[in-house]
Structure formats: C-alpha cells, structure tokens
Amino acid sequence: MPASFQGKIELDIRDSTPDWAPYLPPKAPEGAPNVLFLAWDDLGYATMDMFGGPVETPNMRRIADMGVTFSNFHTTALCSPTRASLLTGRNATSNGMATIAEFASGFPGISTRIPFENGFVSEVLAEQGYNTYCVGKWHLTPGEECNLAAYKGRWPLGRGFERFYGWLGGETNNWYPDLVHDNHQIDPPGTPEDGYHLADDMADKAIEFIRDAKVIDPDKPFFMYLAPQAGHAPHQVPLEWADKYKGKFDQGYEAIRAGILAKQQELGLLPADTELSPINPHGEPERTGPGGQPWPQLDTVRPWDSCSADEQRLFARMAEVFAGYISYYDDRIGRVLDYLEESDQLENTIIIVMSDNGASGEGGPNGTFNEWEFFNGVPSTTERTLPHIDELGTPKAYNHYNTGWAWAFDTPFPYWKRWAGYEGGVSDMMFVAWPKQIKASKDVRHQYVHAVDIVPTIYSLLGIEPPEVINGYVQSPIEGESFAAALTDPKAPGKRTQFYTMLGNRSLYHDGWLATTVHPPLSGWGNFMADEWELYDLEHDRSQTKNLAAQEPERLETLKALWFYYAGIYQGFPLDDRSALEQVLAERPKGGPDRTRYTYYPGIADVPESAGVAINGRSYTIAASVQLDSADAEGVLYAHGGVAGGHSLYVKDKKLRYTFNWLGSHFQDIVADRELSSGQHALTVAFDSKGASTDPALPGFTGTATLYVDGDKVGQSEITTQPGYFCVIGDGICVGRDSASPVTPEYTAPFRFTGGTIDRVIVDVSGEKFVDPAATVAAWFAKD
C-alpha cells in the first residue's frame, strides 16, 4: 500500500473509502503555458532578416515581434554539444558531449553518453504534468547506439520524451530522410516524385502530436522540442524557392557584409562602431601551427575577385539554394504557428528560438556538391561541382555552400561553426516570446547568455524547482543561470563566465573579455601547450578585430588560468583536434560484435553503418542467395548508402550489375556479360583491395571488383572505394530494396526486388581470396 494512501480499507469494498491521489499522474498547475523550443541548425548570426541578414523568414520575425530579441546569445560552436546544453542546463563537457555524438572517445567529457544525473528538461516537465514531444533532429545518442539492437535509454523516449518523429543522427536527406517514429524506423510517407519534402512532414507531425493529445485533454500543456534540418547540409529545397533569390548574391560574400552590418546596427543588435572582421584573419594559408603544420585549407575563404566568372556564378547559386532552403522551412514552421493561433494556444505558449552554432564551413573554400567529401577527408573542387550547378538543392545533390558564405552569414564576426574561440562559431540569434506574460519589446537585450542558461530560465518562468532525483539518479547541479529577469528588464545582468572547448580550439569568457587559442578545430596540430593565445574586449569589440594580448598580459594570464580551472571542473580534458576523417575512423565500440562475416535478410530494418559491416579500406565479398522465378526478375539485392556515396548489387535488364558510387561524383559500374536464367543462383561481387589509391583526385582504395554467377566470372573492373564511411547512420544497409536515396541513377529507389526470392545476403570481410568461388559461397550459405 502506498504510504500516502488516505482512504479506508475494510473487508467489503462497499464499506471502504477510495483515495485516488497516490495513483493519478502529475497534473500541471491551472493555466500552465506550453513550451516550444525551436532549434535551427547551422544558422549563422546574420542569416535571417530580423538579424540583418538577406534571408526572408516572416514567421521567425512574427515570433520575434511578439517577444524579446537577444543580441549576445552563445552556443558551443557545434550541434550535439549545444543541444545537450539546451536540454539539460549543463555544460557540454559535463554532459560528456565535447563533440558530435558519432565521434565518441572513451573519456568522461567526450563519451557522448549524457549522464542520467544530468536530467533533461523533458524528464522534468513530464513529471510536472506536461506532454513532451521531440520532432526533428536528435543527435544526442552515440552513433553505435543508433540501431534496433541497441540500448534505447539514450533515444528520445529514454530521456523523457513521450513521442518522437525525426532522425537520430546529425543530418539527414531532406528528400529521403532516415526517419524514426517513437522507437522504430520507418520509411518516409512519400518520395520526391510525390512532392515529399521533410519540412512539410515535420510540420504535419508537430501539429499531429499536439492535436492528438489536446482533443482528449485541452488543458494539458505540452513541451515540444522542434529541431528542423535547416540550415544543415544537405541544402535541399524545391527550386522555385531558390529561384526567388536569383541575383541577390551576385555581388559576392565580401560585398554583402557591409550592408548586413549596417542593418544590424540599425536594428540595435550591434554598436555603431562595430567593425567587420577581415577575410582570413590569421593570414592563412601562410600561417603554420606550433609544430610547423600548415593552416587547414578547409578554414580559409577565397577572395571573391580571385574566383573565375564560372566560380562566382556557382557560389552565388549555392547561396540562392541555401536562402530558399531556410525560407521554405520558415514557411512550413509557420503552419505550426498558425495551428497554435487558430486553436487559441499561441498566446500562452513560451517560444524560444535559437540556432545550435554559427554558419557551417564544412563546404570548404570551394563549396561542394557532396558534403560527405568533408568527412572523407577529400578536398572539394569547383571542377567537380560546376557540371552539377543546376542540380544543387535537388534529390540528386547533397550540397553545401563555401566558407565565404559561412563568413558572410556570420557577419560581422570571424570564422564559423566548430570555432569555439570566435564569435562566428558561438554567437547566434535568439529570441523569446510569451504573449500572455511577457510584453513585446523593441529594446534589444545585450546580456551575455549561453545555451546552458535556457533550461534554468524555463524552470524560473514556470516556477519549477528542479528535482533532486530523477528516475533514481541523484541530480548534478545545473550549471546554467536563468536570464528570466532580462525578459522584462533590459538592464538585468548577464552571466560573468563561460567555458568553451571544441575540437582542439578553446576559450574562456569572463566579465566582457575573451581569451582564445589560435588553434584550428580538427587541424591535427596537437602540441597544445605551445598554442598562441589571443585576448579580446568583447564589450567594445564584438567582431574581434583587435587582439589585446600584448597590451593586457596579466588579464590574459588570469583568463588562461581560469580556463584550466574550469576545464578541471567541467571534464574538459583531454583535448582532441584530430581531423574529421581520423574521427570517423577512430576505434570505438560498434553496435554489434566485430566479425568477418555478416548475414542480412530481406525485410530487415536498415542497418546503419555504425552497426553494420565496414568495408572501407578492406577487401570484401557480397553474395546473395536468390531464387529467380522469372528471367525478367529485377531489383536490388543489397545496397548501402545513397546519393552521397554507396554501393549496390542489383539485377537490371536480366543482368547482374554492381555500382560503386564514389562520393556522389564517380559512378563505377560493372555489368555482367551474360543474362541470368531462372532458378536458384548465388550472385556475388568480390572486391580485392590492392591498397591506397595514388590518384590525388580519387583518394580511397583501389582494387579489382569481380562479378560471379554461381562461381562463373561474368564481369570485372578496377574500381576505387571511398576512404571513409558513406553516411554512418542514414541510408543504411538493406536487402531487397535501396531505401532512402538511390546509390545509382541507373534505377529509381527503392527498386524493390521482384520476380524471385532472396534467401539472404552474406558479406565477408575476412580478406580470404577465392580459390573455388562456387564452392566457397556454397559453404557460406551451408553454414549460415
């Protein structure tokens, strides 16, 4: 019997008095507001029009006009770390999230396992009588746990969300998203040919979640974490939206910044004496690291007048596509606002809008047709992208603009995403509205606030004291500070100190000053004790144009000491500046046991790369046991990856075929020299790796790929495989279809296998060479 039971129990229920109180779920106070977190992705400070930018976002302006705008909001410079702070109120390293969730290392600050002692706001509000929903990007589960065999305690439903519709990883294809609904994978409800786009789907699902509960209990408040894909790569949008910006970026990224800054000053976001940060402020590529390493080309900007006319045309189109992408998502999110207004909920909804970091520089100085070149360590070239200029934004592309636009969309600040010591990486737009309780104000708030401060602000606004224990875990102290006072008092104080570390770059903010290291993130420089430190007076120099380290050596030493102090408190060690490719290929736990042979069956849910067979740098054999009922059978036998890179073994035009798609730009096709007959067959492709490619334009691993039908060689070609992964989580391994985006333009996804039956597919990575192909494959199937 519950200790709190206040009824009376007799032998006969007729003589007993019930007490429902111990058994009823928690109920929110009467009139409790809804809470909507709207977390944009990779959206620089100067992107949206209400922050002086060139991109029209009338629905975000609608929210800003209802509330209060903050000009001095900060994040961690990267998505997973910021999102962890947004949802827990603890610093990124305290959350074990000093990097993106897929780049885990076995150290407390980089484990990417958020401790259960760091409760999510969703966990708290669910116990306060709220419905809790997550729609969109999650990116808070370790990559190796994003599969159906994994522990689900770090999926959204394991961290206090009652409903989830979105993707677990850091990005997804807007045309072919890898979706999870609650705790299971699903196919998108439509295709690009049907007019499907993720932005529409997200808006539909957000409205559905809210409405489904409100028709039952209209007074029960909700907490929704709405995290759109925009503006993260791939930048994909119906082209009529991109075309609305035709010609708007033809002047180039250098020229557009002055106009943006003037608007920011007119809006009161920045002081009148704010200067524009210079292009390439550290003189790259001439500068070198402490050990003589070169400055990363990835983190440079090409002067506009150094680009050819074709390159300028290409770069302008990249910006048009991005701008249309953001406007399209804004339009769809507007439908959610419309629903809240039509259902009389908008007035009593706290809305907090922010981005998770600055604009992204992952397209490099040339931009890219395929963002996964960055994660494979392959420099993007305009020569590869120019032929695809008209495909940017379409289902055929996985595009990302160049660093020049990242710099412009972060006006007036230097650098971009990943840079934790520079405002371009950590300074972001943020505005808050609660029409019922907070009067709209045109007085911009200039208090220094951080993502870690949002959760305590929510608790303060709701009058909630965070619990000491959640699900049996004694809670750690919340490390953020409420800025609720600033919502009604423009002169309320901001926070004094904030600690930063990100991918080898680090800094500390204290009382208006910032000390930072000149250490490019993901540079591989190491030698951290030899780092050069800079010092900036952010109160009078937000754009970091005046390094005062030489003039203020004592202050710099104080801030450096404080950085090491807080690094000790917040689990800031060790520092990790390894390259993106090194991070992708680093040893870490997998979703299943390592083995040399994997068996996959038709009908299984997609297996993400983080939990499946890894073929990069290895010899491999893919063998399908198939019964062909007809010589006209066709379709995919085995596929992994998609438009950004992958490989597929399939039957088309009565012939066995294999395509290896090298990073979306080099399709290597092998077609059998004879037609298939009906009956039972073993259909096989074997790749014999000969080592690293010596072609600088095609890095990876070269070797011979051979097609076999029942042991008979029917096709052969030299191919090059990718140096790294295809996609880690999305566009996973599947049998009998090519889910999500297609590996090859030779078919339209999913190109399901018809006219026969696939028993299973075996992928062998033992490296053993065939002596008798037919006998070897037959033995595999006999064992399995």
Side-chain angles (χ1 to χ4, degrees):
M1 184 190 308
S4 57
F5 181 78
Q6 299 296 312
K8 184 178 74 171
I9 298 177
E10 300 292 349
L11 176 66
D12 191 326
I13 194 170
R14 298 171 183 79
D15 302 321
S16 303
T17 304
D19 177 17
W20 287 105
Y23 307 104
L24 294 178
K27 185 175 178 63
E30 185 177 351
N34 306 311
V35 181
L36 173 62
F37 271 17
L38 180 49
W40 289 82
D41 204 337
D42 286 6
L43 210 62
Y45 186 88
T47 303
M48 292 184 173
D49 50 4
M50 82 284 298
F51 269 72
V55 180
E56 297 172 8
T57 50
N59 287 291
M60 294 306 100
R61 178 177 290 280
R62 176 180 171 189
I63 298 170
D65 288 346
M66 290 191 299
V68 177
T69 295
F70 285 77
S71 71
N72 211 355
F73 173 71
H74 291 79
T75 56
T76 69
L78 200 63
C79 37
S80 295
T82 293
R83 292 165 189 273
S85 294
L86 283 173
L87 291 171
T88 68
R90 280 81 168 183
N91 283 293
T93 45
S94 298
N95 284 318
M97 200 66 77
T99 183
I100 59 172
E102 295 88 350
F103 286 3
S105 296
F107 302 94
I110 331 175
S111 68
T112 74
R113 278 108 171 125
I114 300 174
F116 294 105
E117 289 80 3
N118 296 3
F120 278 45
V121 62
S122 47
E123 294 174 309
V124 173
L125 293 186
E127 291 302 315
Q128 294 286 332
Y130 276 70
N131 284 131
T132 54
Y133 313 125
C134 178
V135 177
K137 173 172 172 173
W138 180 240
H139 210 199
L140 294 173
T141 299
E144 56 272 19
E145 292 185 7
C146 294
N147 64 81
L148 291 184
Y151 169 61
K152 305 299 188 299
R154 283 181 275 267
W155 287 32
L157 269 61
R159 295 309 311 245
F161 287 100
E162 299 167 333
R163 305 296 310 278
F164 173 58
Y165 188 83
W167 56 101
L168 295 175
E171 66 186 48
T172 195
N173 192 311
N174 290 276
W175 301 110
Y176 304 98
D178 48 297
L179 293 174
V180 171
H181 194 173
D182 294 336
N183 263 18
H184 63 280
Q185 295 168 286
I186 64 166
D187 290 330
T191 66
E193 294 76 19
D194 303 326
Y196 176 89
H197 190 280
L198 179 60
D200 303 87
D201 196 7
M202 282 186 59
D204 290 344
K205 198 57 64 174
I207 294 168
E208 176 188 315
F209 279 1
I210 298 169
R211 182 180 284 152
D212 281 351
K214 287 289 186 178
V215 297
I216 299 169
D217 190 346
D219 296 326
K220 186 172 185 178
F222 68 82
F223 167 70
M224 175 171 284
Y225 176 56
L226 181 58
Q229 164 78 2
H232 201 290
H235 302 160
Q236 298 165 319
V237 67
L239 292 188
E240 60 267 24
W241 284 79
D243 292 344
K244 292 180 180 182
Y245 288 92
K246 280 276 191 183
K248 187 156 187 176
F249 300 97
D250 287 355
Q251 61 187 303
Y253 34 77
E254 290 169 82
I256 202 173
R257 296 175 77 239
I260 293 174
L261 177 57
K263 289 180 183 176
Q264 292 170 330
Q265 292 166 329
E266 181 184 339
L267 290 166
L269 296 166
L270 297 169
D273 59 356
T274 303
E275 300 177 22
L276 289 169
S277 61
I279 193 170
N280 298 326
H282 289 102
E284 335 61 32
E286 293 81 9
R287 192 183 186 102
T288 58
Q293 309 96 325
W295 190 273
Q297 287 292 312
L298 175 71
D299 285 314
T300 63
V301 175
R302 295 180 60 191
W304 187 258
D305 61 9
S306 73
C307 303
S308 69
D310 276 344
E311 288 175 326
Q312 291 180 355
R313 182 169 59 91
L314 173 65
F315 295 162
R317 184 56 177 170
M318 288 176 171
E320 292 168 3
V321 170
F322 176 76
Y325 178 45
I326 301 305
S327 289
Y328 186 72
Y329 264 93
D330 173 82
D331 185 78
R332 272 39 189 178
I333 292 169
R335 290 176 41 216
V336 179
L337 300 179
D338 290 343
Y339 162 70
L340 292 176
E341 186 168 30
E342 292 161 4
S343 58
D344 295 324
Q345 298 181 69
L346 187 61
E347 185 79 8
N348 197 29
T349 298
I350 299 171
I351 307 176
I352 303 177
V353 183
M354 78 296 288
S355 175
D356 59 357
N357 44 248
S360 171
E362 287 154 14
N366 295 312
T368 181
F369 185 63
N370 180 7
E371 183 230 5
W372 269 88
E373 291 181 339
F374 167 75
F375 292 104
N376 278 266
V378 176
S380 299
T381 66
T382 53
E383 290 78 14
R384 269 203 305 273
T385 306
L386 265 167
H388 301 287
I389 186 171
D390 294 331
E391 296 172 349
L392 297 177
T394 73
K396 296 180 179 180
Y398 211 84
N399 49 290
H400 192 304
Y401 58 48
N402 56 325
T403 49
W405 292 119
W407 179 51
F409 290 132
D410 282 332
T411 299
F413 308 129
Y415 294 117
W416 36 76
K417 175 183 177 181
R418 295 179 287 110
W419 285 84
Y422 296 88
E423 292 287 273
V426 298
S427 191
D428 289 281
M429 59 99 181
M430 197 260 282
F431 36 97
V432 180
W434 185 9
K436 184 175 181 179
Q437 291 292 336
I438 299 172
K439 185 178 180 181
S441 174
K442 293 184 178 180
D443 292 326
V444 175
R445 305 309 198 254
H446 300 294
Q447 292 88 345
Y448 192 102
V449 294
H450 189 270
V452 77
D453 302 323
I454 286 182
V455 161
T457 301
I458 289 297
Y459 294 157
S460 178
L461 292 175
L462 298 181
I464 289 174
E465 189 68 32
E468 295 181 0
V469 178
I470 296 177
N471 296 327
Y473 291 91
V474 177
Q475 294 296 287
S476 66
I478 289 179
E479 295 165 354
E481 305 167 21
S482 172
F483 56 83
L487 294 170
T488 54
D489 180 5
K491 299 185 183 302
K495 72 186 311 175
R496 294 190 61 195
T497 307
Q498 183 61 46
F499 165 80
Y500 295 90
T501 182
M502 185 55 56
L503 305 174
N505 184 223
R506 53 200 160 123
S507 66
L508 186 100
Y509 170 84
H510 182 68
D511 285 344
W513 292 79
L514 185 88
T516 182
T517 56
V518 184
H519 196 119
L522 300 175
S523 64
W525 281 7
N527 205 6
F528 294 104
M529 291 307 293
D531 277 349
E532 175 188 342
W533 285 78
E534 295 178 339
L535 181 69
Y536 296 100
D537 178 4
L538 292 187
E539 188 172 344
H540 302 98
D541 180 24
R542 277 291 302 279
S543 53
Q544 296 173 281
T545 60
K546 301 174 184 69
N547 174 17
L548 302 178
Q551 292 93 317
E552 297 264 6
E554 291 184 8
R555 188 187 301 272
L556 177 60
E557 289 303 316
T558 298
L559 266 62
K560 286 168 61 177
L562 281 174
W563 186 90
F564 279 94
Y565 169 74
Y566 284 109
I569 290 177
Y570 296 139
Q571 303 179 157
F573 298 116
L575 301 175
D576 186 358
D577 68 350
R578 290 172 296 171
S579 73
L581 181 57
E582 287 181 288
Q583 298 273 9
V584 166
L585 299 180
E587 288 293 325
R588 54 179 61 93
K590 288 184 65 69
D594 280 330
R595 49 201 190 272
T596 59
R597 193 168 298 146
Y598 296 73
T599 303
Y600 299 109
Y601 297 91
I604 59 169
D606 287 12
V607 177
E609 199 161 10
S610 58
V613 57
I615 64 162
N616 47 302
R618 309 167 85 171
S619 296
Y620 58 86
T621 300
I622 303 168
S625 176
V626 180
Q627 171 68 40
L628 300 184
D629 298 332
S630 164
D632 294 321
E634 66 172 7
V636 170
L637 303 173
Y638 173 94
H640 183 196
V643 67
H647 61 149
S648 177
L649 182 66
Y650 58 103
V651 176
K652 183 183 178 186
D653 298 330
K654 302 182 180 181
K655 293 183 178 181
L656 180 65
R657 303 168 71 118
Y658 177 71
T659 297
F660 195 102
N661 170 358
W662 185 91
L663 282 166
S665 60
H666 184 55
F667 293 90
Q668 303 161 99
D669 298 310
I670 309 173
V671 182
D673 60 14
R674 66 199 71 171
E675 293 184 352
L676 290 165
S677 61
S678 59
Q680 183 73 31
H681 295 288
L683 306 179
T684 304
V685 61
F687 174 70
D688 181 15
S689 177
K690 297 177 180 176
S693 169
T694 57
D695 182 353
L698 209 66
F701 301 89
T702 60
T704 305
T706 306
L707 290 180
Y708 296 94
V709 175
D710 301 325
D712 294 331
K713 184 170 75 173
V714 297
Q716 189 174 80
S717 180
E718 299 298 306
I719 67 169
T720 301
T721 62
Q722 286 184 198
Y725 287 156
F726 298 129
C727 44
V728 182
I729 294 177
D731 255 334
I733 296 167
C734 45
V735 172
R737 71 193 192 287
D738 186 349
S739 65
S741 65
V743 168
T744 170
E746 290 295 321
Y747 56 72
T748 300
F751 197 39
R752 296 182 185 276
F753 184 75
T754 59
T757 305
I758 303 170
D759 175 44
R760 67 197 118 158
V761 174
I762 294 176
V763 184
D764 183 272
V765 287
S766 65
E768 298 175 2
K769 293 185 171 27
F770 282 172
V771 176
D772 182 340
T776 301
V777 172
W780 291 351
F781 288 120
K783 290 179 181 178
D784 282 61

